[in-house]
Each structure stands twice: as C-alpha cells, then as structure tokens.
Amino acid sequence: MAGLSAAWELTRTRVGRETPRVIVLEAGNRVGGKVRSTEFCGRTVDLAGDAFLARRPEATQLCDELGLTGALVAPGTSGASLWVRGRLRMMPAGVNLGVPTKAWPMVRSGILSPAGLLRAAVDLVAPHRGEPQATGDRSVGDIVGSRLGHQVVERLVDPLIGGIHAGGVADLSAEATFPPLLTADRRPGSLVRALRRGPSPGGLAPPPDAAPAPVFWSLDGSAARLPAELASALAVQGVPVHTGVAVESLARRPVDDAGPTWRLTLAGDADAVPGTAGSSDSVRHLDVDAVVLAVPAGQAAGLLAGHAPLASSLLGDVEHSSVTVVTLSMAAGSVRSPLVGTGFLVPRTSTIGGRPALITGCTYLSRKWPGLARTEDELIRLSVGRHGDTRPDSLDDDELTAAAVAELGAVLDVAGRPRASMVTRWDGAFPQYRVGHLARTATIELAVAALPGVAVAGATYRGVGIPAVIGSGRTAARTVLRSLDGAAPARPGR
Ligand SMILES: Cc1cc2nc3c(=O)[nH]c(=O)nc-3n(C[C@H](O)[C@H](O)[C@H](O)COP(=O)(O)OP(=O)(O)OC[C@H]3O[C@@H](n4cnc5c(N)ncnc54)[C@H](O)[C@@H]3O)c2cc1C
C-alpha cells in the first residue's frame, strides 16, 4: 500500500513542467502486499487487514480520489468482548485503547477483580505532580501499570494495543503507538481524567442527533479492493506495476555522469520492465533519478547498507512478530452461543481449557461484514500468535487449526467441526515499535534524506495501519519530488 500510494502521489504532481515517469516494482506475484484477499467458500475474504480506521483521513481520502467513496462499507455490528476470568465480557463503554475512562461501565463489566478496580481507582485520588516539560518515551505498559495497576495492562490495554501491533505493551513505545497516553501521563492529576478530557477524534463534537460515525471502514467486496483499484488507476495514468520483479541492490551512478543518479539491479521477471538494460551476465539494470523504498525493514536495511550505514543498521535491528490467521466456515447452527459484536480478544494472561491461550482474538466475520453472510454457515476468523509466543511455529497447519478450533470450542458453544478452514501465516509481518521508536525513525529518515532522491515508506516507520502506510507513501513521494525539484515545494498536479 505504501509503494502504490507513493506512485499515486507522484502521478498527481509535476517536477518543473513534467509529470514524473513512475514505475512500481513489486517482488511478489500480486499487488497489495499485506492487504490481500482470497476466495473462500464462494466469498472474497480478507487474509490480513479487513478494515481501516475512519478517524485517520488518508485511506478515505484515497478512496475519494479513486471514486470509491460510494463503495465504503461500515461493519454491520460493533463492540467486542474480552475473554477474562473464565467468560466473555463485553468491552465497557468509555475505554480508550484499553484505558477505562468511565467508572460504572468498568465496574459492571467484571473485567477487573475487586482488587484490580481498587488499584485502578487509586489514580482518581492519588496525587500526581506531572512533568509537563518532560520529553522522551516510555512503554505503554510502564505508564498504565504505574498509574492504574497491572490488571488494566494485562486485561485491557495489552489485548487492544498489543493486539494491533502483535506485540507486548511492556515494550511498545507510548510515543509511537498511543501518543495521547504519554501526554496525559505528563499532566498533573489523574491519568483517566486527562484521557477523558482529550480532544474527540477529529477535534469536533458530533451534533447531538447525529448517528454514531463508524470507527472503521472497509470496501464493498473486501479491503483488498483498495490496492487492486489503486493499481488499476495507476495503469490508467500510465504507471505500470510490475509484479514478480525484486530490486536486489541500489548503486550510486558516477557523480560526474549527467544521467540518472541511481542504478537498480533487478531480479525476477525484469525483461518486461521498460527501460532496463542488461549486462554481460544478463543481470537487468534500471537507471532512475529517485527511489521510494516501500519495503519492510529487513529489505530496506539491505538496500541501504552501502549508502546509509546508520539507517541500515537501525533498520536491521527492528524486531518483527508473526501472526497466523485461521479462517473457518462453521455450519449454520453449529455455533450455539449468541455472537455479540464483532468478536472477542484474548489477553495473554488468560487461559483457555486450563492452558495459556494460543488464540489472541476471534472475528465473527459474517456478522462484522453482512455481505459475507450466507444461510449455510458462519464465517469465523481466529488470530493466533503474538510476540514471544513461538508455539505456532512448531505446529503444522492441520495441528494449528485443530488447536485453534479446540480453543474456540472452549470459549463458545460449538458443535461439530468446521466445514472448511484456511491457514494464512504472516511471518515477521509486524514491526515492533519499541520505546524510542520515533527517535530512531527520525534518525533513519535524516540519514536517508542525505541520499539524493531516496525516501523510505511503509509500516516500519510511523504507524502500521493502512491509513498510516498510505500517508507514509505519499509523504515519501513528496520528499523525493522536493529533492528532484531543487527543494521547491511539490505542486499539486491534476
Ligand atoms: C494479519 C494482519 C492483520 C492486519 N490487520 C489490519 C487492519 O485490520 N487494519 C489495518 O489498517 N492494518 C492492518 N494490518 C496492517 C497493514 O495491513 C500493514 O501494516 C500494511 O498493509 C503494510 O503495508 P506496507 O506497504 O508498509 O508493507 P507491505 O504490505 O509489506 O508491502 C511491502 C511490499 O514490498 C515488496 N517487496 C519487498 N522487498 C522487495 C524488493 N526488494 N523489491 C520489490 N518489492 C519488494 C513485498 O513483496 C510487499 O508487497 C494487518 C496486518 C496483518 C499482517
């Protein structure tokens, strides 16, 4: 998404009097990277992200530019449960990324034990001086644990924020994953009150009679329609997207040469890429003025190694965690528990069937997206794996499915086996935003900015969600344009 978005931004801008000639090179055999769908039981289902945050403007703005606003669909249901203290409990009202801001809904939910509630309530009465001038980062778990106690961390904040990043909040940067928490922690007084006072998303209160705005959007058909439609729109603009072509290396061309600055060495189906030249050993080269490296951290580290050693080393140090998605078709009537909301999350400290839970969450797919509903079945998606849990690696797909289905059966009243199942492994898919992540990102960006016409983009840097990576691709495109344009601000084109 980041690379396609960078290309899109480039088609809408001029360098001097010209629109840049843009080529997208994609190592995989299809576009979209982690935004991907497939056919399952006669329907198109997303294999990774199935929705994007409505609060951030980048994805909806892109949909608007692609003429897809009419195709936006909101989930058919809302709310989620937590598997805590041996049963499913609805997430109470007023929870801000796991931090409770309303007392009574929290008390009634039963998520915290009486001792956990008392500990959290200390925040409302204990003096906290605050440090408004403080700078620097802390982990989400450290802040919430010290202010509200470990139960709020383990049962609420870790499943939500840790779930989004497939990480643990003990290590995740507050600055990068939940900036209002860091700001609230620096204010004097209660953390909960400071978060409650924070601006509403978008900064404006909705009119009192307005229907609640959706928190997430997807596209009619699947979220993966977005990269597919974007690639088609790029083709219309004359921007080819070459799949099956990997950039193997990046070399600086001689500075005294008036030609393009960079030489890319390509692998794969590179003969099809216009403008390539071959050398004696039939390696294909492509000379370009500028490059947006919209690839995961490890690949970016390799490509930058000879040019920006510090950036390369910082990128090489980014840890990643893996997630596996198990999609199930359960025969109609076989799930006898009421399916309320979009699904449930499983805190890492919860057990299922007396053992540490393998599944981290469950989406009632055909309830969340009514377009997927059929009379014959219930589509359910289980997420397995989080940072530090290596158990999924030692299980083959059948074993993993059996273990995940057994846990589902311990949470919900399920009769019989799935009609069909599908396992999708996302190895190393989630960069871990450790404490100090944004400072390291700034260092990487600064080091890369010293290379003429090069910028980095994608989930490694300033947000893992689809809107954030779209924004990062577009920002990277403007950065390379400024470099090509002699640092003049990029002007919008058509
Ligand atoms: C299971 C799962 C669930 C998710 N759920 C959501 C969700 O609900 N909502 C949400 O907003 N986000 C979600 N995300 C996160 C989001 O989908 C990703 O963070 C985002 O799509 C990453 O986009 P990207 O462009 O940065 O990277 P990628 O999608 O990883 O794209 C990078 C591309 O670079 C290509 N590439 C790599 N090396 C080279 C090379 N040398 N030459 C050429 N090409 C190369 C790769 O093939 C790949 O296509 C989820 C992710 C996963 C895995």
Side-chain angles (χ1 to χ4, degrees):
M1 274 313 304
L4 292 169
S5 306
W8 180 247
E9 181 70 21
L10 289 167
T11 65
R12 301 167 66 78
T13 319
R14 307 266 161 95
V15 181
R17 297 168 66 100
E18 292 177 54
T19 302
R21 200 163 70 83
V22 184
I23 293 182
V24 181
L25 302 172
E26 163 55 57
N29 56 11
R30 34 159 206 86
V31 297
K34 296 185 182 88
V35 186
R36 183 171 147 202
S37 63
T38 194
E39 292 300 302
F40 179 71
C41 295
R43 280 149 281 180
T44 305
V45 295
D46 286 303
L47 294 174
D50 63 348
F52 37 86
L53 254 186
R55 181 165 49 80
R56 288 194 63 137
E58 297 93 335
T60 43
Q61 187 193 322
L62 181 61
C63 288
D64 185 37
E65 290 167 11
L66 296 172
L68 292 173
T69 300
L72 288 171
V73 287
T77 178
S78 62
S81 309
L82 284 159
W83 173 253
V84 174
R85 303 172 74 202
R87 68 177 179 85
L88 288 179
R89 298 166 190 275
M90 265 326 259
M91 191 88 69
V95 168
N96 185 349
L97 277 178
V99 177
T101 63
K102 290 187 179 166
W104 282 116
M106 193 65 239
V107 172
R108 279 200 304 269
S109 73
I111 289 170
L112 302 182
S113 72
L117 283 168
L118 274 177
R119 172 63 188 86
V122 168
D123 169 71
L124 298 171
V125 289
H128 174 74
R129 293 222 325 261
E131 291 179 83
Q133 310 306 326
T135 54
D137 196 5
R138 286 175 72 191
S139 81
V140 170
D142 185 21
I143 295 175
V144 178
S146 63
R147 305 291 300 276
L148 303 171
H150 70 93
Q151 281 193 14
V152 175
V153 176
E154 290 162 4
R155 299 182 186 181
L156 285 153
V157 179
D158 191 62
L160 277 153
I161 301 185
I164 291 167
H165 294 267
V169 291
D171 302 311
L172 286 176
S173 151
E175 194 180 29
T177 66
F178 192 2
L181 180 72
L182 196 60
T183 312
D185 183 51
R186 289 176 183 157
R187 288 190 192 161
S190 152
L191 182 79
V192 163
R193 286 200 188 98
L195 277 172
R196 209 189 284 156
R197 272 201 310 268
S200 64
L204 295 172
D209 55 350
V215 176
F216 293 102
W217 289 114
S218 186
L219 284 171
D220 189 17
S222 96
R225 229 181 113 185
L226 184 55
E229 299 266 5
L230 181 49
S232 304
L234 285 168
V236 170
Q237 300 286 335
V239 175
V241 180
H242 293 278
T243 54
V245 183
V247 177
E248 285 210 314
S249 67
L250 195 64
R252 189 89 176 250
R253 297 187 71 249
V255 265
D256 51 352
D257 186 331
T261 319
W262 296 98
R263 170 159 290 183
L264 312 181
T265 303
L266 309 184
D269 195 11
D271 288 347
V273 181
T276 56
S279 65
S280 52
D281 52 2
S282 74
V283 172
R284 305 302 295 181
H285 292 137
L286 181 66
D287 291 344
V288 295
D289 296 312
V291 196
V292 173
L293 295 175
V295 294
Q299 283 85 346
L303 292 168
L304 290 168
H307 311 290
L310 175 60
S312 170
S313 147
L314 289 172
L315 285 162
D317 288 344
V318 176
E319 280 183 68
H320 289 79
S321 43
S322 304
V323 163
T324 301
V325 172
V326 182
T327 310
L328 305 171
S329 159
M330 307 296 297
S334 66
V335 182
R336 294 181 294 217
S337 309
L339 299 182
V340 183
T342 57
F344 62 85
L345 296 169
V346 183
R348 70 176 67 227
T349 45
S350 291
T351 56
I352 299 181
R355 282 193 299 274
L358 191 67
I359 62 172
T360 59
C362 170
T363 306
Y364 310 143
L365 217 49
S366 43
R367 306 285 170 125
K368 185 175 178 186
W369 306 114
L372 294 175
R374 300 286 184 277
T375 48
E376 71 266 21
D377 70 357
E378 193 76 60
L379 290 188
I380 293 214
R381 181 170 128 158
L382 299 171
S383 299
V384 178
R386 54 178 126 219
H387 196 72
D389 186 357
T390 54
R391 291 175 295 168
D393 303 343
S394 60
L395 301 174
D396 69 23
D397 286 359
D398 289 343
E399 291 167 337
L400 190 75
T401 304
V405 167
E407 289 194 358
L408 179 71
V411 174
L412 301 176
D413 179 8
V414 177
R417 298 198 41 76
R419 297 165 71 229
S421 64
M422 173 175 63
V423 172
T424 314
R425 291 184 191 254
W426 293 101
D427 291 335
F430 284 91
Q432 295 299 296
Y433 288 7
R434 298 274 186 245
V435 173
H437 176 82
L438 290 186
R440 285 190 293 280
T441 292
T443 306
I444 293 168
E445 287 167 345
L446 203 63
V448 173
L451 306 174
V454 182
V456 288
T460 303
Y461 306 97
R462 296 180 182 274
V464 297
I466 293 168
V469 301
I470 292 170
S472 97
R474 299 186 84 148
T475 302
R478 291 193 294 271
T479 302
V480 297
L481 281 168
R482 273 198 297 276
S483 156
L484 292 179
D485 218 2
R491 279 181 288 137
R494 51 186 170 272

